[in-house]
Amino acid sequence: MLSFIVKRVGQSVLVLLITGLVAFSMFTFVGDPIDNMLGQERTIEDVERLREQLGLDKPFVVQYYRFLEQAVQGNFGVSYRQGRPVAEILLERAPATLELAAVSGIFAILMGIALGVFTAIRRNGFAANLIMSASLIGVSLPTFLIGILLIYLFSVELGWLPSFGRGDTVDVGGWTTGFLTASGLKALILPSITLGLYQMTLIMRLVRSEMLEVLRQDYIRFAKARGLSDRVINFRHALKNTMVPVITVIGLQLGSIIAFAIITETVFQWPGVGLLFINAIQFVDIPVMAAYLMLISVMFVAINLLVDILYAFIDPRLRVAA
């Protein structure tokens, strides 16, 4: 088991290094941040002096090595746009993104599993068929279009929920949260549904297909022959065996929720790290862009690493295969 974990950790570190290299390479083609930082009356001497101060006069390999060296210490440099440490800016924006991702993830997992089990057990019923037909909306429509439709219906037409912003927040030990205010909770509803709808439908359809496969197994027929109730068969035997492959997909989808929150945050003007990244692209704020992608990569890889380890505990055959 130890060798399995060491191997997975090594693969995760390699993925992070490659991701950082690709991201940092792409930023060299975005534009020159000096153009946005200096005014029209700049001189050649001013450009060269600022370029030297930012370390942009160094070779690419040196710049990337310095970025990794400082990133390991939690130092991502200074924002070209705001003139503040990037780590400080990320800490201010992270609570908004993490709360949105947490609510969306809980919504996707709970609703996905519940609806997946229901549509599998009542697969020939009208409600199950209606849910499966409606789930095509979550799979087919892009996230930004779902967000716009929800805004039009619940904000513009009905006026029930806010269309943008995070609402009122409360500072709890340096963590700004909207969970403790009514406007903060209302502001979470539309973006969390928008962000979690695709993951919910994917989990639901996977749970349904796996559940139907398990219900056709011989040991389920034997359990019915013994006279066990449908509740015991469906939830104690079938669902338990269904969740083994679903756990891996859930882990991947949780990583996707964090990674793709950028689209939802842009639609709802949610003040998280995703919206920060969009603004950084417009101003060629390379330290912020690089730090954001590295942060998302670390979260995504960490979640997948934990899922791999958890999956190995559930199914010991994977340790031998690895």
Side-chain angles (χ1 to χ4, degrees):
M1 185 63 186
L2 180 60
S3 62
F4 175 82
I5 296 176
V6 171
K7 182 179 179 180
R8 287 293 185 268
V9 171
Q11 292 174 347
S12 301
V13 172
L14 180 61
V15 169
L16 289 176
L17 291 175
I18 295 176
T19 303
L21 179 61
V22 172
F24 208 80
S25 301
M26 292 173 57
F27 295 151
T28 60
F29 301 101
V30 173
D32 191 351
I34 303 298
D35 295 335
N36 294 322
M37 299 178 69
L38 295 178
Q40 296 294 329
E41 299 180 357
R42 63 180 182 270
T43 63
I44 297 178
E45 290 76 12
D46 294 334
V47 173
E48 294 300 326
R49 183 173 60 255
L50 183 57
R51 190 177 300 277
E52 182 179 357
Q53 290 176 356
L54 297 176
L56 299 178
D57 59 330
K58 301 293 190 299
F60 171 80
V61 176
V62 176
Q63 294 184 43
Y64 179 60
Y65 175 77
R66 287 184 174 180
F67 170 75
L68 290 180
E69 185 180 31
Q70 294 177 354
V72 172
Q73 303 172 12
N75 180 17
F76 296 99
V78 177
S79 170
Y80 295 163
R81 178 190 177 194
Q82 301 186 32
R84 299 166 53 202
V86 175
E88 179 181 320
I89 300 174
L90 291 177
L91 287 176
E92 291 178 356
R93 296 294 193 103
T97 297
L98 292 177
E99 287 187 358
L100 175 60
V103 175
S104 301
I106 294 173
F107 164 74
I109 293 172
L110 295 182
M111 292 298 296
I113 294 176
L115 293 178
V117 172
F118 176 79
T119 53
I121 297 175
R122 309 291 184 186
R123 55 185 175 276
N124 296 321
F126 174 78
N129 291 326
L130 181 63
I131 292 172
M132 291 301 298
S133 300
S135 69
L136 294 175
I137 298 176
V139 175
S140 305
L141 293 181
T143 301
F144 73 90
L145 184 57
I146 294 175
I148 293 173
L149 291 175
L150 290 177
I151 289 174
Y152 176 76
L153 178 60
F154 292 100
S155 298
V156 178
E157 292 295 328
L158 299 177
W160 291 351
L161 299 170
S163 60
F164 67 92
R166 196 183 175 195
D168 297 329
T169 58
V170 177
D171 191 306
V172 181
W175 181 279
T176 57
T177 178
F179 288 153
L180 301 179
T181 64
S183 62
L185 291 174
K186 290 178 64 177
L188 262 171
I189 296 175
L190 291 185
S192 60
I193 293 176
T194 301
L195 183 58
L197 188 61
Y198 174 78
Q199 283 73 20
M200 184 208 73
T201 53
L202 186 63
I203 293 172
M204 181 194 74
R205 299 177 78 88
L206 177 63
V207 170
R208 180 180 183 274
S209 63
E210 293 292 334
M211 189 84 169
L212 291 176
E213 182 67 25
V214 171
L215 288 174
R216 287 193 288 264
Q217 299 298 317
D218 291 336
Y219 68 88
I220 296 296
R221 297 192 183 97
F222 180 72
K224 292 180 179 179
R226 290 179 56 195
L228 296 179
S229 65
D230 291 340
R231 180 184 297 273
V232 173
I233 294 174
N234 292 329
F235 293 98
R236 182 176 299 179
H237 297 284
L239 182 60
K240 180 180 179 181
N241 290 280
T242 297
M243 292 306 296
V244 175
V246 172
I247 289 176
T248 299
V249 175
I250 288 178
L252 293 173
Q253 294 311 305
L254 289 179
S256 299
I257 285 177
I258 298 175
F260 298 118
I262 181 174
I263 300 175
T264 303
E265 290 185 7
T266 303
V267 172
F268 290 92
Q269 289 298 293
W270 189 264
V273 293
L275 186 60
L276 176 68
F277 178 70
I278 292 295
N279 294 331
I281 293 177
Q282 296 175 353
F283 289 89
V284 199
D285 199 342
I286 295 177
V288 173
M289 290 189 291
Y292 170 81
L293 285 185
M294 288 300 295
L295 180 63
I296 295 301
S297 300
V298 169
M299 289 184 177
F300 203 97
V301 170
I303 290 175
N304 281 275
L305 177 62
L306 291 176
V307 170
D308 282 344
I309 295 174
L310 179 61
Y311 204 23
F313 275 109
I314 296 175
D315 191 352
R317 293 173 298 178
L318 289 178
R319 309 175 203 171
V320 179

